Structure formats: C-alpha cells, structure tokens
Amino acid sequence: MSSAAAPLLLSPAQVNDITKSGAKSISLLDSTWFMPNSPRNAKQEFLGRRIPGSQFLDLDDIASPSELGLKHMMPDRQTFSLACGRLGISPSTHVIIYDTHGVFSAPRALFMFRTFGHQNSSIIDGGLPRWIDEGLPVETASPTGPQPTAYALPDFDGNSIRSYDQIVSNSQFDPSVEPKSEIVLDARPKGRFMGSDPEPRPGLSSGHIPHSFSLTFNLFLEKHKTQDGKDYSTFLPPSEIRKALENAVGPVETEKIIQGERSVVASCGSGMTAGVLWLGLQLLGVKQVGLYDESWTGYAMRPSSQIQK
C-alpha cells in the first residue's frame, strides 16, 4: 500500500533531523503500553511529556474484539484504516513510533503497520528516554490533534498472524524431527516459560507450548541508563541478536531460519513483546516471521491446551 520501506530503526538524532528537514508527511506516535500489573498509565504520561508533535497510539483501542476478552489483538482492515485516518496518517506518511521503555511496545505497533502494508514505518531505537538523554526537546503543553485524513482499506498479510488452532496443530510436531514444522519462540522470562514463576495475570498457569523455545525478549536488547539513572533499552547489533537466537535454538536451526528454510513464530504473554522478537529477526534479514496474536494468555486460558512445565 505504501511507498518504499523506511529503515526499521532510527536513532533520535536521525528522527530530529527528519523533523527539522521540513518533510511534510511524518507522523510521530507514542505507542507505550504497560503490563496489567503496572500502576503506570501510558496515556497520562503521554499527556505530560512527549516528543513534539506526537500523537498517542493506543494499542488496546486499535484492536479486534476477542472471544476471550484479550487486549490489543490485531485489528481488522477497517479498524486500522479508521485509526490511521483519525491520527492524520495517509498511505505515504512516514510513521515513526516510540515508547517510554526504550524498546518494548513500539515493535508491536511497527508489526501492525508493516502487516497492513505500511512499509514507510520505523521505530525510534531507545524511545523517549534516549531522546531526552540526548538533549532533544520535549513537549509538555496539551497536544494538538492532527488533521484527519482518508486512509483507504489496506492489504493485510494474513501469513503474519497465527491462530490458536494453527499453534496447537504445530505443537504436535517436534521440529528436530519434522523439518516442515514451525519453530515457536517464546519471549516471556525463562521462569514463566518453565512454569517455576507465576504469570502476572491472576489465575493464569505458567509453562509453555509443547516444542516451543524460550527466547526472552530482552536477550535481543542492550540496557542503558540515562544521565538521571533511569533504565532504557536499545536493540543489540545483529551479530549479538544472532548469538541469542543460536543459544535458544542452536546454530543449525538459526541458519535455516535466516536462510528462509525454517518458518518461525514469535509468542509472548499477550502478543506485545513478541514484537521485539519479530523486529530482531527482521534485523537479521528474516522476512517471514509469524506472530501468535493471542500468545500465552490465550493459549493457557483454554482448558483444552496442553501445557508443559
């Protein structure tokens, strides 16, 4: 739908240069999202401080309804189109996404735009904390709403999303034996994957999908501290991302994934940090990475699911 693909990652300095260049078709989006057990409120924090000219992208609002009551499920074409129109985005707009963690929820938002064919989209590597730490300006006055646009119904890459039934079917096969099965990478912390630590959602079992692999999302990230001592993250170099993948699935399967000989699916707790794995794999040149939209919450909520610990 959109023009040529933009870089997946941009530094704050690069984004600042773009905004100062006078380019007309740019949309800055704060896609911050917090875990359900967090006391923080992403929208309120956006209203208090943001990159100048930003709009707030509510991933829980721009979503499809779920029979299980799950949040931020991939929207349908019309929901996405209407949301883009409200945000003043046209198919040619360069959408630049960030969050207040550094790297956490912005990759999921980027995944959404790319899945709907909006290739002219990027994230700010390091997000708002890095932007501030590099001395770039912030806005604290009430945000000004965008001029609405008409965004035509986009194409949708159905191969990017995995359903529960697809995950269950795939889980019957050991990828070390069945070369056509997909490798499922789980971005949750290792303790939750192993079943030794509880899930943050009350009453939900921990554990993992049979034949899935643990690859905690922060293994793709580098930790930093701002000058005032606050933590944030950026992506590691591709060589380090590859090492993390090799540690999870082995060097042979890693090479197959990179060469497109083995399909891979990213999962997590609710479909949010699976986006970090998706983007990290994109940085390695892996083009077709599926995402299990319901992820562990949807899987573990279903009584028929087989849970391994």
Side-chain angles (χ1 to χ4, degrees):
M1 155 149 308
S2 63
S3 55
L8 293 164
L9 301 182
L10 292 171
S11 69
Q14 288 174 313
V15 174
N16 190 49
D17 287 344
I18 291 170
T19 59
K20 289 167 61 178
S21 71
K24 294 181 179 179
S25 194
I26 299 171
S27 179
L28 285 157
L29 301 178
D30 180 342
S31 66
T32 301
W33 179 87
F34 293 112
M35 293 288 289
N37 57 350
S38 173
R40 297 176 66 180
N41 184 298
K43 182 63 177 293
Q44 289 302 315
E45 292 187 13
F46 164 80
L47 293 174
R49 184 171 63 173
R50 73 202 79 87
I51 295 175
S54 298
Q55 305 298 321
F56 185 70
L57 177 69
D58 189 334
L59 289 168
D60 284 342
D61 181 58
I62 305 172
S64 293
S66 162
E67 62 182 1
L68 298 175
L70 304 175
K71 304 292 187 181
H72 49 260
M73 295 295 95
M74 181 65 76
D76 59 28
R77 296 166 65 214
Q78 184 174 25
T79 300
F80 178 79
S81 171
L82 291 173
C84 286
R86 290 194 303 270
L87 290 165
I89 297 169
S90 71
S92 62
T93 300
H94 185 183
V95 174
I96 302 175
I97 308 162
Y98 67 93
D99 62 50
T100 60
H101 303 270
V103 174
F104 187 72
S105 51
R108 169 68 195 215
L110 182 66
F111 170 79
M112 177 178 70
F113 275 92
R114 295 267 173 151
T115 298
F116 281 106
H118 197 109
Q119 302 299 317
N120 196 14
S121 50
S122 313
I123 75 162
I124 301 178
D125 193 22
L128 184 62
R130 184 180 174 191
W131 176 278
I132 294 172
D133 207 44
E134 294 186 3
L136 296 171
V138 294
E139 186 176 71
T140 57
S142 296
T144 302
Q147 182 68 35
T149 62
Y151 195 104
L153 281 178
D155 296 328
F156 175 74
D157 181 6
N159 291 325
S160 294
I161 294 291
R162 297 296 181 275
S163 68
Y164 173 76
D165 289 341
Q166 288 173 314
I167 290 295
V168 169
S169 177
N170 185 74
S171 72
Q172 309 304 310
F173 302 100
D174 182 345
S176 67
V177 177
E178 176 48 67
K180 293 185 178 180
S181 66
E182 295 189 309
I183 285 183
V184 177
L185 301 173
D186 191 324
R188 292 174 300 148
K190 188 68 173 285
R192 289 163 57 189
F193 178 89
M194 297 301 296
S196 57
D197 292 341
E199 291 292 314
R201 297 161 181 86
L204 190 71
S205 173
S206 57
H208 61 271
I209 299 165
H211 301 303
S212 59
F213 294 81
S214 176
L215 180 53
T216 306
F217 75 93
N218 59 20
L219 294 175
F220 278 6
L221 305 177
E222 183 175 358
K223 296 180 180 179
H224 307 269
K225 280 192 179 294
T226 62
Q227 296 176 40
D228 58 359
K230 295 180 180 178
D231 295 325
Y232 74 95
S233 54
T234 60
F235 272 98
L236 287 165
S239 60
E240 295 300 313
I241 291 174
R242 177 172 181 141
K243 287 180 183 178
L245 182 59
E246 288 178 343
N247 288 337
V249 304
V252 173
E253 290 299 339
T254 294
E255 185 63 22
K256 289 180 180 178
I257 289 169
I258 292 173
Q259 295 301 323
E261 298 170 4
R262 171 77 83 172
S263 297
V264 62
V265 178
S267 181
C268 61
S270 68
M272 188 62 69
T273 58
V276 177
L277 297 188
W278 168 82
L279 182 46
L281 292 169
Q282 298 288 312
L283 296 172
L284 287 182
V286 184
K287 300 303 181 185
Q288 283 295 329
V289 183
L291 190 147
Y292 178 25
D293 207 19
E294 293 183 349
S295 282
W296 182 251
T297 301
Y299 184 86
M301 284 180 70
R302 300 176 188 272
S304 60
S305 296
Q306 183 180 353
I307 294 175
Q308 291 191 338
K309 296 186 179 182

